[in-house]
Amino acid sequence: MKKFLLGSVVIASLVNVNIFAKDFNLDKAHSNVAFKIKHLQISNVNGNFKDYNADIDFDSSSFQFNKLEAKIKVSSINTDNKARDAHLQQDDFFKAKTYPDIIFTMDKYEKISNEKGRMYGNLNIAGVSKKIVLDTEIGGVIKTDSGKEKAGFTLQGQIKRSDFSFAPETSTLTLGDEIQINIEAEMNEK
């Protein structure tokens, strides 16, 4: 009898792990996928991407990400300079014709508190994949008038362009090696 009860408790626990998890879509009107990188070691060039999507599985009761898969269209890069944006899509940078998407796939989420965590995953830029870590801040969860949930979060991190063999012919004196990533996102329950 004890084994049966223990087995039932274990099964019930496993079933309840994702009972509150929900699928979310990004609300692009309230989201931004941004980056910055040093130019000539004296200033920063800021930019963002205008076209992106993400498939998100988020448990709003425990503030836990179970899945996040994002795809960013390289052709949507915006640095407020059309000539530079066109150049960044060429083969010496993003190789956009061959690799039209930047892809991030979460491997695991480490919850520190309801507001803070670390997202571990695989980032693929121009055909090169590397493991990265993004600091995560969850702004909160609300229920809308329609009864569905809306949540906000921030992902921040730093990557090295040399790790991705990104623009290898460009000197770090001209273009810094470190790229800051800052993603502000709102998501809507599907």
Side-chain angles (χ1 to χ4, degrees), residues 92-111:
D92 53 335
F93 284 94
F94 280 106
K95 304 175 183 126
K97 286 185 180 175
T98 307
Y99 304 102
D101 301 316
I102 297 169
I103 299 169
F104 175 77
T105 304
M106 184 186 92
D107 292 330
K108 75 173 188 171
Y109 182 72
E110 177 186 358
K111 181 178 170 179

Side-chain angles (χ1 to χ4, degrees), residues 101-171:
D101 301 316
I102 297 169
I103 299 169
F104 175 77
T105 304
M106 184 186 92
D107 292 330
K108 75 173 188 171
Y109 182 72
E110 177 186 358
K111 181 178 170 179
I112 297 169
S113 69
N114 276 354
E115 295 81 26
K116 304 277 185 189
R118 286 187 193 91
M119 189 173 290
Y120 297 81
N122 192 57
L123 180 65
N124 185 302
I125 299 175
V128 177
S129 294
K130 293 288 179 185
K131 299 286 185 189
I132 67 166
V133 179
L134 298 170
D135 292 322
T136 307
E137 182 177 336
I138 299 173
V141 178
I142 63 167
K143 196 162 279 253
T144 64
D145 292 339
S146 69
K148 297 210 173 189
E149 291 181 337
K150 180 181 271 288
F153 65 95
T154 301
L155 300 174
Q156 292 181 319
Q158 180 178 297
I159 61 173
K160 290 189 176 187
R161 67 182 177 92
S162 57
D163 288 345
F164 290 87
S165 298
F166 184 77
E169 303 300 318
T170 304
S171 164

Side-chain angles (χ1 to χ4, degrees), residues 12-98:
S13 297
L14 291 173
V15 168
N16 286 328
V17 167
N18 287 324
I19 197 165
F20 297 107
K22 296 180 175 114
D23 288 330
F24 287 83
N25 286 326
L26 284 179
D27 176 353
K28 291 185 187 178
H30 299 102
S31 299
N32 188 36
V33 176
F35 63 89
K36 76 176 178 181
I37 188 168
K38 280 280 187 205
H39 181 248
L40 299 175
Q41 298 184 336
I42 59 171
S43 65
N44 289 310
V45 171
N46 292 282
N48 62 13
F49 293 91
K50 299 293 187 182
D51 189 2
Y52 49 85
N53 281 303
D55 185 15
I56 305 165
D57 181 341
F58 178 72
D59 185 335
S60 58
S61 66
S62 66
F63 284 65
Q64 180 75 32
F65 286 92
N66 298 311
K67 174 179 149 187
L68 190 146
E69 293 177 355
K71 190 180 284 189
I72 301 164
K73 293 289 182 191
V74 172
S75 62
S76 72
I77 194 166
N78 173 38
T79 63
D80 288 327
N81 182 306
K82 289 184 188 225
R84 179 173 48 216
D85 295 345
H87 183 204
L88 288 171
Q89 295 179 54
Q90 301 304 310
D91 284 347
D92 53 335
F93 284 94
F94 280 106
K95 304 175 183 126
K97 286 185 180 175
T98 307

